[in-house]
Amino acid sequence: MSRILTMLFAMAFIVFAIAGGVASAYLVGYLAEEYLFEGASRLTNIIFLMLVFVMITATLLTLAERKWSAFMQDRVGPNRARLAIPGLSNRSLGGIPHIITDVLKMLTKEDFVPGTANKFLFNLGPILAFAPVFALFAVVPAGPTVNVFGKTVDMVVATPDFGMLYLLAIASLAVYGTSLAGWSSNNKFALLGGVRASAQMISYEVALGLSLVGLFLAFSSVQLPTLVGDVGNALVSGTGQAKYLWRTDGGFDLGLPAWGIFIQPLGFIAFFVASFAETKRAPFDAPEGESEIIGYFVEYSGMKFGMFMISEFVEVVVLAGVTASLFFGGHHLPFGGEWLAAQPFFQEHGWVYGTLLGTVFWIKVILLIWVQLVIRWTFPRFRYDQIQNLGWKILLPVGLANVFISGALVLWDPSLRALGVVGLLEIGFVIALTMTTGAKAADAHDAAHGHGHDAHGHGHDAHGLPAHAADPHSHSPAGAH
């Protein structure tokens, strides 16, 4: 019971901490708009969204992943580090002191550079691996644009016209970091890891771009704020993913929203798999598979190694944020959004409205991060040929088929309802296929265990003991069965 209460308290603390951070971002954005210049709130968003939310979340994930993997493997996880503070010296504090020890270790560990390495490119590799990933979140809207005490405050850093094209272009730059890290180290194992990473990332960028074309066709835009959309009112329906495919009449809006997951389920699956492969995390961690090769950053130590490590966790956060914006409505609620926006209290206090929806966005991000951690610690590593087959022979044809089907349905029914019907059928087919496969696997498991019981468990004496236990001449070990 105490463990349940601890988990509930932790979840409540996380939600309130997120809400406090979002509220602070809106209020500081208002101060910047009021006392600096128009549009200054986007500069403050660099601090709050990218340095606070993304970086702190990525830093905490270094502990969260170890704790979650320990939970899945029935272990305790990191709990040895202590803070030499009176009253806390005998408390593990949930393993949080391990984050401090990791940071200190990275900062103080010897910065070793191989004597035969190309020093300039060797130092440039970690920067090129980290900076593009970190810059991706600049175009992700983490909350609605609201009026705070007469000033318009955005919750996004930049809204370029090319939107998602910026995201795809900047994401492709990260391949240079892994390539240079492997080549400049002058180490054959590192070079092999760099070649694997480059081939894998380039392969999945094709499927990554194709998976989003259907969404662009549906909403006729590549800008993330337009794809996320704005809520409507009694006179004007919402736009983007804020509108409904079908809804009830009345003051409280209830219906099926035009979220990407409902109108582009195939696109979501292809995007999520391709993005996961881009992060080079298990089960797609062939570039650093310790059982086969040594990773492309084998020669790196200290903070340079730390940049490669933290870039993976930043990728996890960015992938969750982009996925939430493209396929799960961004900061929008699944229903009741128009009713909520029409309430006089939220109209008068825009920062409260923005805080509520901004918190909704970050809760979606955390849930998608959790999904990534579950996948990371559930599936075994794919072979390299399996990774390439998945990208070129499965995701690429699926992406092409999805583009043609989506284009035809959008031309036939611009209201997107036909696309929604097909999307729901695809979701139903995937669920049915999953359940059928799971049932067959369970039947095969039961059949295998049943046959084993017939082979070893049919000889019982009158007292219900196995035959080998009743037979005094039996020399079978007690644990043989």
Side-chain angles (χ1 to χ4, degrees):
M1 186 65 183
S2 60
R3 188 174 184 180
I4 296 176
L5 293 176
T6 302
M7 294 179 64
L8 292 176
F9 173 79
M11 289 188 291
F13 176 80
I14 291 172
V15 172
F16 279 108
I18 291 173
V22 175
S24 300
Y26 275 111
L27 294 177
V28 172
Y30 157 74
L31 294 176
E33 295 280 347
E34 179 71 20
Y35 297 104
L36 294 179
F37 55 88
E38 184 178 355
S41 61
R42 298 202 172 191
L43 295 180
T44 61
N45 287 338
I46 297 177
I47 299 174
F48 280 95
L49 295 183
M50 302 180 70
L51 296 180
V52 175
F53 277 103
V54 173
M55 286 305 300
I56 289 181
T57 303
T59 303
L60 292 175
L61 280 180
T62 61
L63 173 66
E65 181 167 54
R66 285 181 284 175
K67 297 292 284 187
W68 184 252
S69 65
F71 178 78
M72 293 183 68
Q73 298 169 359
D74 197 19
R75 296 185 288 107
V76 176
N79 67 342
R80 291 299 185 185
R82 300 288 195 273
L83 297 176
I85 299 176
L88 297 179
S89 57
N90 293 324
R91 297 180 180 273
S92 62
L93 300 178
I96 292 178
H98 283 262
I99 298 177
I100 302 174
T101 59
D102 287 341
V103 172
L104 293 177
K105 180 181 68 175
M106 296 299 177
L107 292 175
T108 58
K109 195 173 183 179
E110 179 187 3
D111 185 16
F112 176 80
V113 179
T116 57
N118 186 312
K119 291 181 174 56
F120 174 73
L121 296 180
F122 185 83
N123 294 327
L124 186 62
I127 298 174
L128 290 180
F130 174 78
V133 176
F134 183 68
L136 292 179
F137 207 84
V139 296
V140 178
T145 298
V146 297
N147 187 287
V148 182
F149 306 122
K151 296 292 183 178
T152 301
V153 179
D154 300 317
M155 197 45 60
V156 64
V157 175
T159 54
D161 293 336
F162 38 87
M164 286 301 300
L165 300 181
Y166 162 87
L167 191 145
L168 295 174
I170 298 300
S172 65
L173 295 177
V175 69
Y176 290 102
T178 57
S179 301
L180 289 179
W183 182 83
S184 64
S185 298
N186 199 20
N187 180 306
K188 291 182 175 60
F189 295 105
L191 178 61
L192 182 56
V195 171
R196 277 192 173 191
S198 305
Q200 178 173 314
M201 295 175 72
I202 292 172
S203 299
Y204 278 86
E205 281 177 4
V206 180
L208 187 68
L210 275 177
S211 64
L212 299 176
V213 174
L215 204 64
F216 300 156
L217 292 172
F219 296 115
S220 302
S221 177
V222 296
Q223 277 192 314
L224 266 173
T226 304
L227 295 174
V228 173
D230 295 321
V231 296
N233 51 47
L235 301 177
V236 181
S237 62
T239 61
Q241 296 180 71
K243 69 180 181 181
Y244 290 96
L245 298 175
W246 295 275
R247 59 162 296 173
T248 59
D249 296 328
F252 186 83
D253 49 303
L254 180 65
L256 182 69
W259 285 7
I261 186 64
F262 297 126
I263 63 175
Q264 286 290 294
L266 286 182
F268 163 71
I269 294 173
F271 174 81
F272 195 76
V273 173
S275 301
F276 210 102
E278 288 275 311
T279 65
K280 305 180 296 299
R281 288 167 56 81
F284 297 97
D285 61 338
E288 52 193 77
E290 294 85 354
S291 60
E292 305 167 8
I293 61 172
I294 304 176
Y296 52 89
F297 48 79
V298 62
E299 296 287 2
Y300 286 88
S301 62
M303 199 57 207
K304 291 188 180 72
F305 172 81
M307 291 185 70
F308 280 111
M309 183 186 71
I310 197 67
S311 66
E312 287 191 4
F313 291 103
V314 171
E315 284 181 320
V316 172
V317 180
V318 171
L319 171 56
V322 174
T323 305
S325 298
L326 290 174
F327 296 98
F328 291 93
H331 51 263
H332 297 302
L333 295 167
F335 53 85
E338 296 178 6
W339 174 85
L340 192 70
Q343 298 305 305
F345 176 79
F346 290 117
Q347 291 181 346
E348 294 176 7
H349 303 85
W351 67 275
V352 179
Y353 176 74
T355 298
L356 177 61
L357 294 189
T359 304
V360 169
F361 171 80
W362 285 106
I363 290 175
K364 292 179 182 179
V365 169
I366 290 176
L367 291 176
L368 287 170
I369 289 174
W370 173 76
V371 171
Q372 294 181 65
L373 295 186
V374 171
I375 294 173
R376 162 71 176 83
W377 291 101
T378 299
F379 293 96
R381 177 185 298 131
F382 293 148
R383 293 198 315 266
Y384 188 69
D385 62 306
Q386 293 174 330
I387 292 177
Q388 294 297 332
N389 287 336
L390 176 62
W392 290 108
K393 296 183 179 180
I394 298 178
L395 292 185
L396 181 60
V398 168
L400 288 171
N402 185 59
V403 170
F404 287 117
I405 294 173
S406 300
L409 292 175
V410 170
L411 285 175
W412 180 40
D413 183 10
S415 69
L416 305 183
R417 290 183 175 178
L419 197 62
V421 171
V422 174
L424 292 176
L425 291 176
E426 291 173 354
I427 293 174
F429 174 76
V430 171
I431 294 175
L433 183 64
T434 304
M435 294 180 65
T436 303
T437 305
K440 289 181 179 179
D443 291 340
H445 181 269
D446 292 341
H449 280 264
H451 291 159
H453 179 73
D454 291 340
H456 298 285
H458 272 183
H460 289 79
D461 66 351
H463 301 284
L465 294 176
H468 78 273
D471 185 2
H473 300 288
S474 174
H475 298 286
S476 301
H481 301 287

